[in-house]
Amino acid sequence: MRVLLVCLGNICRSPAAEAALRESLAEAGLDDRVQVDSAGTGDWHLGKPPDPRMVAAAARAGLSVNGRARRVQPGELEGYDLILAMDRANLATLRAMARDDATRAKVRLFREFDETADADEVPDPYYGDPGGFSRVVEIVRAAARGLVGRLRDGVGDDRRCGP
Ligand code: 4NP
């Protein structure tokens, strides 16, 4: 199974979400069953490492955020089982990019998988205060835990995961 996590720049939210999902998958013993990647819908930061503010906030919480920013390519979406957007703008971009209905149906909001969440978007921390980055870590960890709970029930059979 393959999961793609998508935000705008691929330097804050989606790399943090990728790290959180890898962490949760490893805890559940599913890391060899699920491949995780991330990408951005924008191209401002191509090839750049994650934002240092994101890396620092994650490190304070014991999470290692890595990678290099890349832009999501329309033709790659078909290769994923789940394409998870951090916010509604990313969701709309991805759905417009999808070449068929089957692919479009795989595009969801990442935070939908956190049943305890009071919102369904991961807020963009880029222009906000430093606390926003720590909040992103908490949000993506909760969403990752929720998603892994769903995958634990669904991986290995044909059941669709998701609410
Ligand atoms: P991300 O954050 O989408 O979570 O990686 C952002 C990064 C860069 C910009 C906006 C959001 N930007 O406008 O450059």
Side-chain angles (χ1 to χ4, degrees):
M1 155 150 221
R2 298 184 71 204
V3 179
L4 181 65
L5 299 155
V6 182
C7 63
L8 183 60
N10 193 210
I11 54 168
C12 299
R13 293 166 292 173
S14 62
E18 182 181 345
L21 185 52
R22 288 187 199 283
E23 174 186 66
S24 281
L25 287 167
E27 282 168 11
L30 289 175
D31 44 329
D32 58 342
R33 307 281 298 275
V34 184
Q35 289 179 37
V36 186
D37 199 0
S38 70
T41 58
D43 62 359
W44 304 282
H45 304 280
L46 296 182
K48 299 274 172 54
D51 189 303
R53 297 169 296 174
M54 189 73 255
V55 174
R60 283 196 297 275
L63 192 65
S64 176
V65 174
N66 307 290
R68 294 274 167 181
R70 70 180 189 91
R71 190 177 200 178
V72 62
Q73 302 299 315
E76 73 174 307
L77 296 182
E78 287 92 333
Y80 289 94
D81 300 287
L82 273 177
I83 302 146
L84 301 177
M86 297 299 122
D87 64 32
R88 291 185 177 284
N90 314 144
L91 184 84
T93 302
L94 290 164
R95 286 194 170 153
M97 196 181 269
R99 291 171 171 172
D100 53 57
D101 288 345
T103 304
R104 205 163 293 119
K106 296 188 286 189
V107 182
R108 311 275 293 269
L109 284 169
F110 180 48
R111 211 176 172 193
E112 273 179 31
F113 291 90
D114 177 6
E115 288 173 2
T116 68
D118 54 6
D120 56 13
E121 298 185 299
V122 182
D124 184 348
Y126 192 70
Y127 292 111
D129 61 81
F133 291 87
S134 295
R135 180 87 184 108
V136 165
V137 175
E138 290 171 14
I139 288 171
V140 297
R141 267 188 164 150
R145 277 195 297 272
L147 174 57
V148 169
R150 303 298 282 263
L151 295 178
R152 198 190 287 122
D153 298 335
V155 164
D157 64 30
D158 288 328
R159 266 180 296 163
R160 288 190 50 120
C161 63

